[in-house]
Amino acid sequence: MNATDTIAAIATAVAPGQGSVAIVRISGPEAEAIGRRLFHAPGRQHWESHRVLYGHVVDPASGERVDEALLLLMRAPRSFTREDVVELHGHGGLVAVRRVLELVLAAGARRALPGEFSQRAFLNGRLDLTRAEAIGEMVSARSRRAAQLAMAGIDGGVQRRLTDLRARLLDQLAELEARVDFEEDLPPLDAEAVAGELAAVRGELERLVAEARQGELLREGLRVAIVGRPNVGKSSLLNLLSRRERAIVTDLPGTTRDLLESELVLEGVPLTLLDTAGIRDTGDRVERLGIERSREALAAADAVLLLFDLTAGWTDEDQALRDLVPPGAVLLVAGNKADAAGLPAGPLAPADVRFSALTGEGREELVAELLRRCGAGPAEGLQVALNVRQRDLAAAAAEALERSLEAAAQQLPWDFWTIDLRAAVRALGEITGEEVSEAVLDRVFARFCIGK
């Protein structure tokens, strides 16, 4: 990868018959020259920065008009990458936009790598690393709340929090290192005040790490396997939660013969609900295949929702299913058909919640308890949330500060304090990109989509 190359990519989703507009983005020193070579703007239209031109993309070899389009020119540094950028806005679909990209590449551009536009924006000082990552999170957001967190990151919420914490640590590091070299020439340092500041920063980092789990749920979502004996209401519950007839519901045991998936958002958390085939002994070969997939889904799910029939009570088969749940997995046991007459009024062990897939009774309680057990608390007070990379570095910084505080508690010389304090500063700098290697950057931006 050469930072002086001119790069190009399709910057919009491409699918046959989907999307009315497609954009080919070009960035680099030859962007405008390539645009002038391929784009014919009739009349007296002027090539000015941040001005839209109307015309056609033309194959320079044959003179054929490839697409009717708009061209947007953004000269450096007033662009996303702080390089010259040209965008060709043509018709959506597959054929036309790919043909335009082929002409751009033939004219001298190189196909952009995943995230290379954003990486250039970072390298050229257009945005810090947390903002760049937030852009990727906005593109992949699966819920409104996840998009709000991504927007907070784009606005600099994560960067400001961490830059402030890093600056506080740098202030303390400067005082300590000054004492290491020139203690006789400086006034005495208040060791208790320094330790107190380090402890305060560690506490804020630990809070950010704790909140990151909820942010991860809002971004990544959960895979929840719905399991139970045949005909206990798994498909009915799936339909109740998704508010649509996603699964076939009948009175016949074994109706669900394969693994059904339904994606939905509950309380801001994206969920993939896996409606499994009822796990039982059967001679039906097709049903056996579905049951085997159900067992695989059970092992891979983030949480297991085990249903049983309140009218039939807890059976040996229900207990056998419970025994199949992997150790340590999040498990919620739910009793269905709470609307049936003649059920005991008190709590029915081992049911954690009781509900009715037919009437909807107990739906809110079931959802709330499932999310609570998965660690998804109320999201209203969550303003910023670290992603996994950022969380791991923040946790490393907090651990380094803990070691520095141990040196303080043992009243060791100042230079013992600074060893781990420097490690904490480096970890926070790696989050924002102030101290980061090329390998880390490649790993971060490789997760982006092509064209972003």
Side-chain angles (χ1 to χ4, degrees):
M1 184 174 61
N2 192 329
T4 62
D5 290 347
T6 296
I7 58 174
I10 299 171
T12 47
V14 177
Q18 301 295 318
S20 59
V21 176
I23 299 173
V24 173
R25 178 177 293 154
I26 315 166
S27 180
E30 296 299 315
E32 184 173 346
I34 291 172
R36 288 178 179 271
R37 199 172 304 145
L38 302 179
F39 190 80
H40 288 190
R44 298 183 177 179
Q45 300 181 66
H46 298 290
W47 287 71
E48 298 175 3
S49 186
H50 294 79
R51 183 186 182 97
V52 176
L53 303 178
Y54 162 78
H56 294 85
V57 177
V58 177
D59 184 343
S62 64
E64 176 193 357
R65 287 184 175 183
V66 173
D67 196 9
E68 183 182 32
L70 299 176
L71 181 144
L72 174 59
L73 169 63
M74 293 168 279
R75 292 193 178 113
R78 296 174 56 208
S79 72
F80 176 66
T81 59
R82 284 193 172 168
E83 301 174 331
D84 287 347
V85 171
V86 167
E87 289 186 350
L88 295 168
H89 296 230
H91 290 92
L94 283 173
V95 177
V97 66
R98 286 182 175 174
R99 184 104 185 266
V100 170
L101 178 61
E102 289 170 3
L103 292 176
V104 169
L105 297 177
R110 169 175 62 77
R111 193 183 299 271
L113 299 174
E116 192 169 357
F117 292 98
S118 297
Q119 186 167 355
R120 289 190 175 197
F122 166 75
L123 293 173
N124 292 330
R126 170 67 172 75
L127 69 169
D128 73 284
L129 195 53
T130 64
R131 283 184 170 95
E133 288 179 295
I135 290 171
E137 290 159 9
M138 175 66 84
V139 173
S140 60
R142 296 172 58 195
S143 70
R144 179 181 298 181
R145 194 68 187 93
Q148 290 172 338
L149 284 177
M151 192 64 231
I154 293 172
D155 285 341
V158 173
Q159 187 265 347
R160 283 191 296 271
R161 289 277 294 274
L162 294 169
T163 298
D164 175 67
L165 295 177
R166 188 169 183 266
R168 289 164 63 182
L169 294 182
L170 283 170
D171 288 342
Q172 302 308 313
L173 182 60
E175 292 289 345
L176 288 167
E177 290 188 331
R179 268 45 181 207
V180 170
D181 296 326
F182 310 106
E183 186 159 22
E184 291 127 5
D185 303 324
L186 296 171
L189 185 60
D190 187 342
E192 187 174 335
V194 173
E197 179 69 347
L198 298 186
V201 172
R202 182 197 59 185
E204 292 194 40
L205 288 172
E206 289 173 342
R207 279 192 292 275
L208 285 172
V209 170
E211 292 172 349
R213 169 57 181 163
Q214 189 171 351
E216 185 179 349
L217 290 177
L218 293 172
R219 293 188 190 100
E220 305 297 330
L222 294 167
R223 290 177 65 83
V224 179
I226 305 175
V227 299
R229 293 184 294 109
N231 209 34
V232 296
K234 298 185 299 298
S235 298
S236 298
L237 174 61
L238 179 67
N239 292 334
L240 174 68
L241 294 177
S242 61
R243 305 290 193 186
R244 59 194 174 95
E245 292 297 316
R246 175 64 179 82
I248 302 170
V249 180
T250 73
D251 293 331
L252 301 176
T255 301
T256 302
R257 295 193 172 197
D258 205 346
L259 190 66
L260 301 178
E261 292 191 10
S262 183
E263 300 219 357
L264 62 153
V265 177
L266 296 177
E267 305 298 327
V269 178
L271 295 183
T272 300
L273 295 180
L274 311 174
D275 180 20
T276 64
I279 299 176
R280 61 171 183 165
D281 291 329
T282 177
D284 189 307
R285 181 172 176 273
V286 175
E287 190 176 349
R288 282 203 309 271
L289 290 173
I291 291 171
E292 183 57 35
R293 292 186 183 181
S294 297
R295 292 179 184 274
E296 294 172 1
L298 192 66
D302 299 305
V304 177
L305 185 54
L306 173 56
L307 266 60
F308 74 99
D309 187 343
L310 289 171
T311 61
W314 185 257
T315 68
D316 291 340
E317 291 178 86
D318 296 318
Q319 184 60 47
L321 283 174
R322 185 170 186 169
D323 294 340
L324 288 175
V325 177
V330 174
L331 171 66
L332 181 65
V333 179
N336 187 22
K337 304 182 183 179
D339 58 306
L343 293 178
L348 243 174
D352 299 312
V353 291
R354 300 170 68 178
F355 75 102
S356 169
L358 179 64
T359 67
E361 174 191 346
R363 177 187 184 276
E364 287 72 19
E365 291 80 1
L366 186 151
V367 171
E369 182 62 17
L370 175 64
L371 295 180
R372 187 192 69 78
R373 294 192 177 202
C374 292
E380 290 75 16
L382 193 63
Q383 300 302 316
V384 297
L386 308 183
N387 61 31
V388 174
R389 183 192 74 89
Q390 297 163 357
R391 179 201 65 199
D392 291 345
L393 288 167
E399 291 169 3
L401 290 177
E402 178 62 31
R403 294 192 297 271
S404 190
L405 287 169
E406 289 175 6
Q410 295 174 28
Q411 298 183 335
L412 296 176
W414 301 126
D415 52 348
F416 284 85
W417 297 38
T418 63
I419 295 171
D420 293 302
L421 182 51
R422 285 195 203 96
V425 169
R426 281 195 301 272
L428 296 185
E430 190 171 335
I431 294 177
T432 59
E434 293 168 272
E435 297 188 35
V436 65
S437 68
E438 185 176 337
V440 170
L441 291 180
D442 290 342
R443 190 164 64 248
V444 168
F445 290 104
R447 293 195 293 265
F448 282 48
C449 60
I450 294 175
K452 196 55 185 168

